[in-house]
Amino acid sequence: MGAILLIRHGQASFGAGDYDQLSDTGFSQSRLLGNSLKARAPKIDLVLGGGMRRHRQTAETALAAMGVDIAVEDDPGWAEYDHVAVIAAHRPEWADQTRMKTELARLPNPRRAFQQEFEQATARWIGGLHNDDYPESWAGFCARVQQALQRLHARLGKSQTALVFTSGGPISAVAQRLLHLPEANTLRVNWTLANAAITKLIYSERALYLSTLNDHAHFEGLRADLITYR
């Protein structure tokens, strides 16, 4: 059977002026990811990215570590949902990112405070009762990701291997569909996805199956300091 490896991007720059940029830790994660992929995916037939800078930086860094010279194709179907729009619909004053960062910085644990607000914001989005408040509804997002997966599956021949550098949202949406999870639990999967972790799908001509979810064993042990979730 063939394999599709869905790879979450390395750590982005939370709290910085531009989130869509790998941190120093994110680049280190991507290099170690690439070293791990040398053995587990020695032949790569196709590489896709979701079109975001953090996707491409993760892809290019990992491929360089693998010693693989292959172009990264962008498919916006694998892009993350607009987290700024999702949280602004929940907290309209936080549409001003500077104000949000200033308010969070006053708190003892800004990351935890943001996570609590973000979980409420995504629950509101997924609930589907306020679709007009969002540029992309939850149902629309899931359909977009599903279409991207179908396009990829249709492109691949027998026993090929594809890498997809994407984000936690699309990976969670794929897992939700293949495992038939309740929608309300989908983004709970997202909270547990490690940066630069691998989710493996295997496929035949007729079907797709989830083989492994959130594999980040390449960081465990001596490089446990590289395990991050945001």
Side-chain angles (χ1 to χ4, degrees), residues 21-37:
Q21 163 74 35
L22 292 190
S23 65
D24 290 343
T25 295
F27 280 108
S28 295
Q29 292 167 334
S30 302
R31 284 189 288 271
L32 191 55
L33 166 70
N35 288 332
S36 173
L37 286 171

Side-chain angles (χ1 to χ4, degrees), residues 28 32 216-227:
S28 295
L32 191 55
H216 53 283
H218 40 290
F219 298 134
E220 294 177 341
L222 294 177
R223 296 316 312 266
D225 60 305
L226 289 178
I227 299 176

Side-chain angles (χ1 to χ4, degrees), residues 1-2 10 36 44 49 75-76 89-90 100 114-115 132 136 138 145 161 165 174-175 177 182-183 221 226-227:
M1 301 183 81
S36 173
I44 304 300
D75 181 344
H90 167 64
M100 181 188 76
F114 176 81
Q115 183 65 28
D132 291 343
E136 182 178 46
W138 166 251
V145 174
T161 298
F165 292 86
V174 169
R177 172 182 170 269
E183 288 193 343
L226 289 178
I227 299 176

Side-chain angles (χ1 to χ4, degrees), residues 87-156:
I87 200 163
H90 167 64
R91 292 280 300 268
E93 70 275 18
W94 280 8
D96 181 345
Q97 291 288 286
T98 300
R99 176 175 177 176
M100 181 188 76
K101 292 171 186 175
T102 300
E103 291 182 3
L104 288 172
R106 298 191 187 112
L107 302 176
N109 191 327
R111 285 178 178 268
R112 180 175 296 174
F114 176 81
Q115 183 65 28
Q116 290 172 345
E117 292 289 346
F118 196 47
E119 288 182 13
Q120 294 176 41
T122 52
R124 182 182 190 273
W125 180 47
I126 290 173
L129 298 178
H130 308 279
N131 286 344
D132 291 343
D133 292 349
Y134 304 97
E136 182 178 46
S137 69
W138 166 251
F141 168 72
C142 290
R144 164 166 67 80
V145 174
Q146 174 59 21
Q147 289 163 7
L149 182 59
Q150 289 174 340
R151 285 194 298 272
L152 174 56
H153 187 197
R155 285 185 65 177
L156 294 172

Side-chain angles (χ1 to χ4, degrees), residues 12-217:
S13 298
F14 179 81
D18 183 5
Y19 174 77
D20 193 17
Q21 163 74 35
L22 292 190
S23 65
D24 290 343
T25 295
F27 280 108
S28 295
Q29 292 167 334
S30 302
R31 284 189 288 271
L32 191 55
L33 166 70
N35 288 332
S36 173
L37 286 171
K38 281 183 186 179
R40 65 186 298 172
K43 182 178 181 296
I44 304 300
D45 299 288
L46 179 65
V47 180
L48 298 181
M52 295 175 155
R53 186 183 306 139
R54 59 190 184 272
H55 300 162
R56 182 163 288 274
Q57 289 175 334
T58 303
E60 291 177 347
T61 304
L63 293 171
M66 294 175 69
V68 173
D69 183 15
I70 185 170
V72 181
E73 298 182 29
D74 287 338
D75 181 344
W78 292 106
E80 184 62 291
Y81 57 85
D82 187 342
H83 72 279
V84 174
V86 168
I87 200 163
H90 167 64
R91 292 280 300 268
E93 70 275 18
W94 280 8
D96 181 345
Q97 291 288 286
T98 300
R99 176 175 177 176
M100 181 188 76
K101 292 171 186 175
T102 300
E103 291 182 3
L104 288 172
R106 298 191 187 112
L107 302 176
N109 191 327
R111 285 178 178 268
R112 180 175 296 174
F114 176 81
Q115 183 65 28
Q116 290 172 345
E117 292 289 346
F118 196 47
E119 288 182 13
Q120 294 176 41
T122 52
R124 182 182 190 273
W125 180 47
I126 290 173
L129 298 178
H130 308 279
N131 286 344
D132 291 343
D133 292 349
Y134 304 97
E136 182 178 46
S137 69
W138 166 251
F141 168 72
C142 290
R144 164 166 67 80
V145 174
Q146 174 59 21
Q147 289 163 7
L149 182 59
Q150 289 174 340
R151 285 194 298 272
L152 174 56
H153 187 197
R155 285 185 65 177
L156 294 172
K158 184 177 180 180
S159 301
Q160 290 191 311
T161 298
L163 305 183
V164 180
F165 292 86
T166 181
S167 293
I171 295 170
S172 299
V174 169
Q176 186 266 336
R177 172 182 170 269
L178 295 179
L179 294 177
H180 306 287
L181 297 174
E183 288 193 343
N185 292 342
T186 304
L187 288 183
R188 293 182 186 177
V189 173
N190 197 1
W191 312 143
T192 69
L193 295 179
N195 291 114
I198 302 168
T199 292
K200 181 179 180 180
L201 312 181
I202 55 176
Y203 70 87
S204 65
E205 183 178 335
R206 293 171 295 178
L208 282 158
Y209 309 92
L210 180 63
S211 176
T212 59
L213 177 66
N214 195 31
D215 178 4
H216 53 283

